[in-house]
Amino acid sequence: MPPRNPFSLSRDQPDLVRQERTRNRQTIQSQLRAAVQKYHDAKHTGVSGPTRLDAAYDAILFCALAVFAAQGFRISSGPGHHRVALEGLAATLGLSSTVHDELETLLDLRNSKYDGFDSVDEPTLKDALQLSANILSSVSEWLKQNHADLVATS
């Protein structure tokens, strides 16, 4: 089944996705700044692999939140809200099923920290950083094309 966009998700899972009355440019800009900061944190080699992986994942999550907000939706916290965020991001950006699967795999790996994993190998980190960079770039381009009024001018 193809990923659902934020509108479909709000209809199918109203407990996790709700439509807002207005779009808040400041919130979207804040989410994008957080995404960029997390991406830079993920590239910092002075911290552990799991911390870097978390940061790369968080960069993608903040991108998803910005994409939802740009379309007038908000994701509530609750079981499954990260998966919903990634699904809506994939649908909105028109990501391939392969990239959507990569996002899901990164989420699963990130969630394995709750089972006590203590290391992440370099190839996995490299893949997570590349995925994060690609999503940041795609979201930036999507915003410029579809919501130029929400993109910072400086």
Side-chain angles (χ1 to χ4, degrees), residues 36-86:
V36 169
Q37 181 61 54
K38 288 293 189 174
Y39 174 71
H40 288 297
D41 290 348
K43 294 189 331 182
H44 184 61
T45 59
V47 296
S48 71
T51 298
R52 292 176 66 200
L53 183 86
D54 260 356
Y57 173 78
D58 285 348
I60 294 168
L61 182 62
F62 279 115
C63 283
L65 295 174
V67 163
F68 271 74
Q71 296 176 84
F73 293 93
R74 181 176 178 164
I75 300 174
S76 303
S77 63
H81 70 286
H82 284 221
R83 247 175 244 294
V84 163
L86 297 179

Side-chain angles (χ1 to χ4, degrees), residues 4-107:
R4 297 167 291 174
N5 63 32
F7 178 78
S8 296
L9 288 164
S10 72
R11 186 188 61 231
D12 297 344
Q13 296 188 263
D15 55 322
L16 294 179
V17 180
R18 72 170 190 258
Q19 192 158 17
E20 298 282 86
R21 292 178 190 203
T22 62
R23 295 180 306 154
N24 185 320
R25 184 178 191 270
Q26 184 177 3
T27 297
I28 294 163
Q29 290 298 315
S30 180
Q31 290 164 334
L32 293 172
R33 281 191 301 276
V36 169
Q37 181 61 54
K38 288 293 189 174
Y39 174 71
H40 288 297
D41 290 348
K43 294 189 331 182
H44 184 61
T45 59
V47 296
S48 71
T51 298
R52 292 176 66 200
L53 183 86
D54 260 356
Y57 173 78
D58 285 348
I60 294 168
L61 182 62
F62 279 115
C63 283
L65 295 174
V67 163
F68 271 74
Q71 296 176 84
F73 293 93
R74 181 176 178 164
I75 300 174
S76 303
S77 63
H81 70 286
H82 284 221
R83 247 175 244 294
V84 163
L86 297 179
E87 182 179 356
L89 175 70
T92 299
L93 298 180
L95 300 176
S96 70
S97 60
T98 301
V99 175
H100 185 215
D101 289 346
E102 290 172 4
L103 291 169
E104 293 273 332
T105 299
L106 180 59
L107 172 60

Side-chain angles (χ1 to χ4, degrees), residues 118-147:
D118 59 0
S119 67
V120 177
D121 61 38
E122 280 303 314
T124 300
L125 276 173
K126 183 179 177 187
D127 290 347
L129 280 167
Q130 187 61 55
L131 182 58
S132 185
N134 292 346
I135 295 297
L136 275 165
S137 177
S138 295
V139 166
S140 175
E141 198 55 41
W142 179 82
L143 282 167
K144 286 176 190 172
Q145 290 178 4
N146 298 281
H147 299 281

